[in-house]
Amino acid sequence: MNQQPPNSLIHSASPYLQQHAYNPVDWVEWNDEVWERAKRENKLVLVSVGYSTCHWCHVMAHESFESNEVAELMNHHFINIKVDREERPDVDMIYMDACQLMTGRGGWPLNVVCMPNQQPIYAGTYFPKDRWISVVEQLGLVWKNEPEKVMDYGAKMLAQMQKMNVHGTGDGASDAGASGAVDGTADEGNAREGTAHAVNARETSAAEGLFQRQSLVEAYERLLEELDYENGGMNRTPKFPLPGLFEFLLNMQLVGEDPQGKDALHLTLLKMSHGGIYDVVRGGFCRYSTDGRWFAPHFEKMLYDNAQLISLYARAYAWSGADYYKEIVESCISFIDRELRINLDNGSGHLIGSALDADSEGIEGRYYVFTWQELTELLTEEELEFGRVYYGFEEGGNWEHGFNIVYQAKAPLEVLDILGIDAGTFQGRRLLVNQKLHAAQGQRARPSFDYKSITTWNSLYLKSLCSAYTYCGMQNCADAAQELGETLWNQLYHSPTQTLLRIYNPKAASKSSIPGFLEDYVFLADAYIHVYQITADSLWLNRAETLIDIALQKFAPQGKLPFFMPVDQTQLLLNKLEITDDVIPSSAATFAHCLYQLSAILPPTSKTLQYSKIARSWLLQILPNAVQQPAWHFQWLSLAQNMIWGGLMFKTNQQPNPETLQLLKAKFPDWTLLHFENASIINENPTNSECPTNISVCTAQICMPPVSDPHQAIELAADYLLIN
């Protein structure tokens, strides 16, 4: 039992903040009153940002924030604010910029010391205990003895952050560091995918010359230069899955196949799923690989990674016909449904929680790995030999501390040859070994579950369920998508105030309270457009339109590039633009996609014409940088591809069966639309066999004469893409 009396975080609904409720540090949540107090007391403020499944957050908490010695210093010199980055990405984005400007890198935990006016003066990520003590003491002294020096530095830093926000945004790379108003040195830390870069707004006229197919080819070729042709993915260590980037590569294959890009994409899909980053026992992908070959994972499992990877592998299955890719889709969906699903009270639907921690029993990955001794107790000699060959088990362990990561060490055909077994025996043995390993894991202490449901991440999963149905024909996913989509609307959208909420927390008294950010509105709208295309129900299209109209009003007045926070929000240091793509595509790019797709589907009006104009205007502002830095603008490049090719839409008078749907969508980019004439009538009678199917291929608001054979429609669409 914890003897330490709780601090004020004991009243927080955040699972991450609850983890710090018994620290001796006098933590408080972010609010206006705290900053007023800082001004009254003229005290520095520590803004410490993390999330519940962050390994290095746990390490620093254990070493420093649980220490009475460290807490005494922190409480003396600082007012200490704890922030859950998943609940408050607005705060995280602002101070991550500061960290990157000061150190050239970023990550979590993010620790930023600010003046009482919120201006940052020092930043870093993970600090060992002794180093953190030194930082706290030095900052306390410099604020006491040389406040003018600190205030001057803070003003200069704010000016740099404002400049960065106008011209772009950056994402830190490599290990964490520290710097600021006192001297700092690099420390070990958590990696964040990305690299510092800038987005410079250009005059529309200058960008028009880039609005052509050749510009996309140039961007694509630059992207190919950054790929790893031995291990797949980007040529970097650590290795992060970047599903949106890989989907752009797939889009380029579908408008003009390139052998180099095709091979790189297949290599990436195979290497990711063969490495330890993919859980062959329980399903699902871990956050990233700490090495350059996808082998040793950082064991946390995030909903947003797995949702996007489901969409990617589903599309890859339809593109290639490789059954293995469909198996991964099924396995990941099974993992999410089994381990992340939250059934709401009174049978009011379900949502999906956020993540599983990397740590259990105080050890990273302990839930998933096995010692040789454990394996010998679980498996027969025959099964153990199978595991040694197929899963790479070693007596001394294939990973650190004598542990074995379960991964696909050899291809199935190699295993058949080495062990002298047939395919049936292989499948039976693999199933039995997996069942035993799965059962053994189930007896262990489970990694902590972050049970809050985030609108953006649930929207990504909703879209992935539509992909699983569209590209893999998984009927149960169509039903699950409609249930999840309905729950999101009922639980998180408040119609009287036209407000979408960000978080549903089943353990909080109010369940939902934090207003949504731009990404919440546009990712849910994007998901609803996909639900419409698998259901032919205009309800989902209407909901998408509602969300986009609200987003334009709240985040993008006068059609300017959208802010991440509502434009009337003034409590923070600045309002961020989120332009560049990362593991999750940028909210601005996704917004532009929704505008352009709605302009194509909805009846032509002055409003839909404005949708199209706004999307094009935003794209032209970003396109020069997108062509030069494709790895950070892949979502914008997919939009450019859509616009340059004039869009592609199959308009039909009947809801297609799964086989026809897959035919229509499999061989074309993901921006290809399926639209239903008289959608309300179709939805009432989706299987009207008396009415012949008519399919029209439409591009740039012009439709070809309808045909009744889906194969003929596909040929017409393919011919259009080839000659345009």
Side-chain angles (χ1 to χ4, degrees):
M1 184 175 178
N2 199 318
Q3 300 300 312
Q4 174 69 38
N7 55 49
S8 68
L9 298 187
I10 195 66
H11 304 295
S12 172
S14 161
Y16 173 62
L17 270 55
Q18 280 287 329
Q19 291 175 355
H20 292 268
Y22 286 92
N23 292 170
V25 178
D26 188 17
W27 293 115
V28 293
E29 292 192 64
W30 179 289
N31 59 64
D32 293 342
E33 290 73 21
V34 170
W35 289 100
E36 289 300 321
R37 174 189 157 200
K39 291 175 183 176
R40 289 195 308 270
E41 299 178 9
N42 193 33
K43 204 167 184 180
L44 293 177
V45 178
L46 170 66
V47 178
S48 183
V49 185
Y51 56 100
S52 69
T53 60
C54 168
H55 171 71
W56 285 101
C57 299
H58 300 332
V59 173
M60 188 166 179
H62 178 67
E63 293 176 347
S64 295
F65 302 150
E66 294 173 9
S67 163
N68 288 313
E69 174 193 7
V70 177
E72 185 177 355
L73 284 171
M74 291 173 62
N75 294 337
H76 175 70
H77 290 293
F78 301 154
I79 293 174
N80 300 287
I81 299 177
K82 256 294 169 194
V83 176
D84 183 336
R85 69 170 291 260
E86 295 166 356
E87 287 191 347
R88 296 298 305 268
D90 52 341
V91 174
D92 176 61
M93 291 167 70
I94 290 170
Y95 292 109
M96 187 62 74
D97 277 0
C99 186
Q100 289 158 351
L101 283 168
M102 293 182 196
T103 71
R105 53 192 67 155
W108 298 279
L110 172 65
N111 292 290
V112 182
V113 179
C114 304
M115 294 188 295
N117 61 4
Q118 298 188 21
Q119 293 177 9
I121 60 163
Y122 192 89
T125 56
Y126 163 75
F127 295 82
K129 180 180 177 181
D130 291 345
R131 176 71 186 127
W132 182 239
I133 289 173
S134 175
V135 166
V136 174
E137 291 176 333
Q138 288 183 64
L139 286 169
L141 286 173
V142 75
W143 179 244
K144 179 180 179 181
N145 299 325
E146 301 178 86
E148 297 82 7
K149 173 185 174 181
V150 178
M151 288 187 282
D152 181 63
Y153 182 86
K156 291 178 179 176
M157 178 54 55
L158 176 59
Q160 289 297 311
M161 293 169 66
Q162 290 170 333
K163 181 180 179 182
M164 186 185 216
N165 196 40
V166 171
H167 295 294
T169 181
D171 293 305
S174 186
D175 292 332
S179 188
V182 299
D183 293 337
T185 58
D187 295 307
E188 295 180 19
N190 181 28
R192 187 187 188 199
E193 56 274 27
T195 185
H197 54 290
V199 176
N200 299 308
R202 309 289 178 91
E203 294 296 329
T204 299
S205 58
E208 288 283 0
L210 295 173
F211 202 71
Q212 55 182 311
R213 182 171 180 171
Q214 183 57 35
S215 298
L216 281 178
V217 172
E218 291 174 7
Y220 170 72
E221 290 174 347
R222 286 192 178 97
L223 192 55
L224 292 182
E225 293 174 359
E226 298 188 52
L227 300 181
D228 181 344
Y229 290 94
E230 181 179 354
N231 295 298
M234 302 301 285
N235 194 16
R236 305 181 195 133
T237 300
K239 290 278 195 188
F240 288 89
L242 295 169
L245 186 150
F246 304 148
E247 288 215 43
F248 170 67
L249 289 177
L250 179 51
N251 282 346
M252 290 299 291
Q253 298 306 305
L254 294 173
V255 296
E257 189 170 291
D258 166 55
Q260 184 182 7
K262 179 180 179 181
D263 291 345
L265 186 54
H266 276 302
L267 178 69
T268 296
L269 295 170
L270 291 171
K271 288 288 188 177
M272 280 199 304
S273 58
H274 290 173
I277 191 173
Y278 176 63
D279 188 344
V280 296
V281 176
R282 309 187 73 83
F285 285 84
C286 298
R287 180 69 205 91
Y288 64 87
S289 167
T290 60
D291 57 84
R293 58 188 183 94
W294 307 104
F295 168 65
H298 183 52
F299 285 89
E300 60 183 332
K301 289 183 177 180
M302 317 298 292
L303 174 60
Y304 63 80
D305 285 313
N306 282 282
Q308 293 181 93
L309 287 165
I310 288 168
S311 294
L312 173 64
Y313 277 94
R315 289 191 63 210
Y317 165 70
W319 168 56
S320 67
D323 290 336
Y324 175 66
Y325 292 157
K326 184 177 180 181
E327 291 176 14
I328 293 172
V329 171
E330 294 169 338
S331 177
C332 289
I333 290 175
S334 176
F335 154 70
I336 290 172
D337 194 56
R338 183 182 64 250
E339 302 195 27
L340 300 184
R341 180 183 174 116
I342 298 170
N343 293 314
L344 306 190
D345 296 337
N346 303 319
S348 54
H350 77 279
L351 294 169
I352 309 297
S354 299
L356 291 177
D357 204 334
D359 299 5
S360 59
E361 302 177 42
I363 302 172
E364 183 179 9
R366 185 64 186 98
Y367 188 71
Y368 303 100
V369 297
F370 293 85
T371 65
W372 185 258
Q373 180 63 34
E374 289 170 332
L375 292 170
T376 59
E377 293 171 359
L378 285 172
L379 307 176
T380 66
E381 289 187 13
E382 193 175 63
E383 293 163 350
L384 190 62
E385 179 64 8
F386 176 85
R388 185 187 65 79
V389 175
Y390 186 52
Y391 289 142
F393 296 154
E394 299 177 10
E395 286 194 48
N398 60 25
W399 188 47
E400 58 189 33
H401 309 305
F403 289 122
N404 282 283
I405 293 171
V406 188
Y407 76 110
Q408 186 174 318
K410 294 189 182 300
L413 289 178
E414 291 182 271
V415 179
L416 300 186
D417 185 54
I418 293 170
L419 296 180
I421 57 178
D422 58 27
T425 302
F426 168 85
Q427 293 292 1
R429 205 163 291 175
R430 182 179 69 163
L431 179 62
L432 189 57
V433 170
N434 278 8
Q435 287 174 341
K436 290 185 175 182
L437 297 178
H438 190 285
Q441 291 169 338
Q443 299 302 309
R444 298 172 174 175
R446 187 174 185 251
S448 64
F449 173 40
D450 190 322
Y451 44 78
K452 67 178 183 292
S453 297
I454 300 173
T455 299
T456 295
W457 300 7
N458 273 256
S459 301
L460 290 169
Y461 184 56
L462 174 56
K463 180 179 176 180
S464 76
L465 290 171
C466 296
S467 296
Y469 172 71
T470 299
Y471 297 105
C472 301
M474 296 168 61
Q475 178 61 52
N476 60 318
C477 290
D479 299 334
Q482 292 177 80
E483 180 188 338
L484 178 58
E486 196 65 39
T487 306
L488 284 166
W489 189 259
N490 292 338
Q491 299 294 334
L492 290 159
Y493 179 69
H494 187 240
S495 181
T497 60
Q498 292 191 314
T499 300
L500 182 67
L501 299 173
R502 176 165 179 81
I503 302 288
Y504 181 94
N505 189 328
K507 298 188 179 182
S510 63
K511 305 297 184 187
S512 308
S513 60
I514 299 173
F517 300 101
L518 176 63
E519 64 176 11
D520 298 303
Y521 285 84
V522 299
F523 279 98
L524 184 55
D526 183 48
Y528 282 164
I529 292 172
H530 283 79
V531 179
Y532 163 71
Q533 291 181 88
I534 68 169
T535 62
D537 190 342
S538 57
L539 167 72
W540 304 104
L541 200 58
N542 295 337
R543 287 176 173 176
E545 183 182 5
T546 296
L547 291 170
I548 289 302
D549 286 342
I550 296 170
L552 282 170
Q553 178 184 353
K554 285 180 175 285
F555 303 95
Q558 291 82 50
K560 296 178 181 178
L561 277 169
F563 288 102
F564 188 77
M565 296 170 275
V567 293
D568 60 357
Q569 183 169 334
T570 58
Q571 300 94 329
L572 302 186
L573 201 58
L574 49 83
N575 198 343
K576 283 286 298 172
L577 296 170
E578 191 196 30
I579 302 299
T580 50
D581 298 316
D582 209 311
V583 171
I584 297 177
S586 87
S587 53
T590 304
F591 197 172
H593 268 274
C594 290
L595 287 167
Y596 192 67
Q597 295 213 306
L598 287 174
S599 74
I601 297 177
L602 295 172
T605 63
S606 58
K607 183 173 80 168
T608 58
L609 178 61
Q610 190 68 10
Y611 282 176
S612 179
K613 286 182 176 179
I614 292 172
R616 183 184 173 93
S617 170
W618 293 351
L619 175 61
L620 288 176
Q621 292 180 64
I622 306 304
L623 193 55
N625 280 80
V627 172
Q628 293 297 319
Q629 299 173 320
W632 308 112
H633 301 87
F634 48 81
Q635 187 82 333
W636 291 105
L637 291 171
S638 286
L639 176 60
Q641 186 188 59
N642 189 354
M643 290 186 178
I644 290 170
W645 264 266
L648 179 62
M649 179 166 65
F650 294 105
K651 185 181 290 187
T652 180
N653 64 337
Q654 285 201 40
Q655 182 179 1
N657 59 40
E659 293 76 17
T660 301
L661 179 62
Q662 188 179 46
L663 276 174
L664 293 174
K665 296 281 283 186
K667 304 302 181 183
F668 301 101
D670 64 342
W671 42 258
T672 304
L673 291 169
L674 189 63
H675 181 43
F676 306 97
E677 297 180 293
N678 301 318
S680 59
I681 298 174
I682 294 173
N683 194 250
E684 291 172 6
N685 188 15
T687 57
N688 183 1
S689 58
E690 297 180 3
C691 179
T693 300
N694 289 322
I695 303 173
S696 296
V697 177
C698 305
T699 60
Q701 304 295 335
I702 299 174
C703 293
M704 303 177 193
V707 296
S708 58
D709 183 356
H711 293 88
Q712 189 176 357
I714 290 167
E715 289 178 6
L716 290 170
D719 288 343
Y720 168 79
L721 290 180
L722 285 174
I723 63 177
N724 286 275

